[in-house]
Amino acid sequence: MVEALGKKRISPIGVGTWKMGGKDGMDRTHDADDVKAIGYALDHGISVIDTAETYGNGHSEELVAKAIKGRDRESLYIITKVLPTHLGHDQLMKSAKHSLDRMGCGYIDLYLIHWTPPKLEMVKEGLQTMEELVKQGAVRSIGVSNFNVQETLFAMEATRSEKIVANQIEYSLLARDPESDVIPFCEKNGIVVISYTPLADGKVTTYGPARDIARSTGRTPVQVALNYLMRRSLPIPKASRIDHLKEILGSVGWTLEPEDVKRLQAG
Ligand code: NAP
């Protein structure tokens, strides 16, 4: 499933960084804990980090830089996103340069359009500029986020030399609509679905069906929820707490029984 993302080893889950470095503006108060959390995830087999130029007004990308310092760059898969207001050629070139400067990571593994611009036509200029960045070696793969089926199709048709390799969308046990349209479409077209807010911002811990299955399997609701999503996507949960990350890591290396999957699908 994740082969479309490139030749690197991709862990079955990644780490999200939204709210690390600030929610709307920049906030440095939790930097040490956030850098430690990302580092902990990388030390324990996670290779994928998701960030965006807008998170913490760029500070989230600076925290990624701190967490990856001294690590083997080729073992990491770094995703960042450009704002839909920055899709014009020169603006996008500038955005990419700023992201790279903040992260100090040499190149971006996967560069996404964060969400659709009011004028969908701008997607074309944005993606074709990203293709230039691929030719220059600044970006390895390109994709979209929050695109519905029609918008994804538009994006696929807008590229010339690269393929859309991923669509990052909200997908969790509490947000399963993509199962009826975006996910089957992406699967059919070899596009990897990356699930954001996979823990429904922590609400899966109280979600009845996940709790029931957790009880009968000796797992936790968070582990059940992520394992469910991994069947058809790459979830990128965010956790600043190490105990949360430990629990998240326990979602890997086993598979839900088919009857448990059916119970979760029934809701
Ligand atoms: P999420 O991963 O569903 O939930 C994060 C929340 O869950 C945090 O408050 C975290 O607490 C808590 N949590 C983590 N592990 C837990 C555990 N084991 N038990 C209980 N609570 C736990 O939500 P998200 O941050 O919105 O989504 C994840 C990532 O997706 C983001 O960080 C971002 O990278 C990406 N994203 C992308 C978009 C987009 O438009 N493309 C939109 C939203 C998010 P602590 O932090 O205190 O540990």
Side-chain angles (χ1 to χ4, degrees):
M1 190 256 306
V2 293
E3 288 73 25
L5 295 181
K7 293 194 184 82
K8 285 189 181 180
R9 186 194 73 83
I10 308 285
S11 51
I13 50 173
V15 282
T17 61
W18 185 42
K19 295 184 193 161
M20 289 188 180
K23 196 176 167 192
D24 301 317
M26 200 177 282
D27 176 0
R28 298 180 183 277
T29 14
H30 305 289
D31 283 11
D33 285 344
D34 289 338
V35 171
K36 200 168 135 198
I38 302 170
Y40 184 90
L42 301 179
D43 286 343
H44 291 83
I46 292 187
S47 60
V48 179
I49 309 173
D50 179 77
T51 185
E53 64 171 346
T54 188
Y55 295 170
N57 208 8
H59 190 44
S60 163
E61 290 181 332
E62 291 170 347
L63 295 181
V64 170
K66 286 192 177 162
I68 64 172
K69 201 167 176 214
R71 292 177 190 267
D72 168 27
R73 175 67 185 91
E74 282 304 297
S75 68
L76 305 169
Y77 193 89
I78 300 176
I79 306 171
T80 194
K81 316 181 199 82
V82 62
L83 283 168
T85 44
H86 293 170
L87 299 183
H89 178 275
D90 294 354
Q91 183 59 62
L92 192 138
M93 284 291 184
K94 222 185 276 175
S95 280
K97 184 181 180 315
H98 289 161
S99 286
L100 283 167
D101 287 349
R102 282 190 290 263
M103 293 193 286
C105 58
Y107 62 89
I108 296 163
D109 288 278
L110 175 59
Y111 203 25
L112 306 177
I113 297 180
H114 206 147
W115 61 89
T116 44
K119 279 191 191 155
L120 192 60
E121 192 59 26
M122 283 307 293
V123 164
K124 197 169 178 182
E125 187 169 341
L127 290 172
Q128 292 183 358
T129 308
M130 285 183 177
E131 289 180 315
E132 259 182 64
L133 287 164
V134 173
K135 286 200 180 88
Q136 292 171 7
V139 167
R140 294 250 167 117
S141 299
I142 64 174
V144 294
S145 176
N146 293 300
F147 276 40
N148 66 25
V149 168
Q150 284 311 317
E151 292 160 349
T152 310
L153 191 59
F154 183 88
M156 288 160 66
E157 286 169 355
T159 59
R160 292 183 291 205
S161 48
E162 291 299 312
K163 285 199 162 119
I164 298 296
V165 303
N167 188 2
Q168 184 177 125
I169 52 167
E170 182 175 2
Y171 178 39
S172 73
L173 280 179
L174 278 79
R176 290 198 14 236
D177 286 355
E179 289 179 352
S180 60
D181 48 25
V182 179
I183 294 179
F185 178 82
C186 287
E187 286 172 341
K188 203 169 135 210
N189 289 286
I191 295 173
V192 175
V193 171
I194 300 176
S195 348
Y196 76 69
T197 320
L199 304 176
D201 207 17
K203 287 192 263 313
V204 290
T205 53
T206 55
Y207 180 61
R211 286 171 68 94
D212 293 345
I213 291 164
R215 240 189 319 270
S216 63
T217 57
R219 311 283 174 181
T220 72
V222 161
Q223 292 164 347
V224 167
L226 292 175
N227 198 276
Y228 176 86
L229 300 182
M230 268 182 249
R231 297 161 38 257
R232 300 180 82 179
S233 72
L234 170 65
I236 46 165
K238 176 261 181 190
S240 294
R241 283 175 42 179
I242 302 295
D243 60 324
H244 281 169
L245 274 170
K246 283 184 184 161
E247 187 177 352
I248 285 169
L249 289 163
S251 63
V252 179
W254 57 280
T255 313
L256 280 165
E257 293 299 330
E259 61 268 25
D260 290 335
V261 171
K262 272 194 197 134
R263 277 166 71 194
L264 290 167
Q265 283 166 336

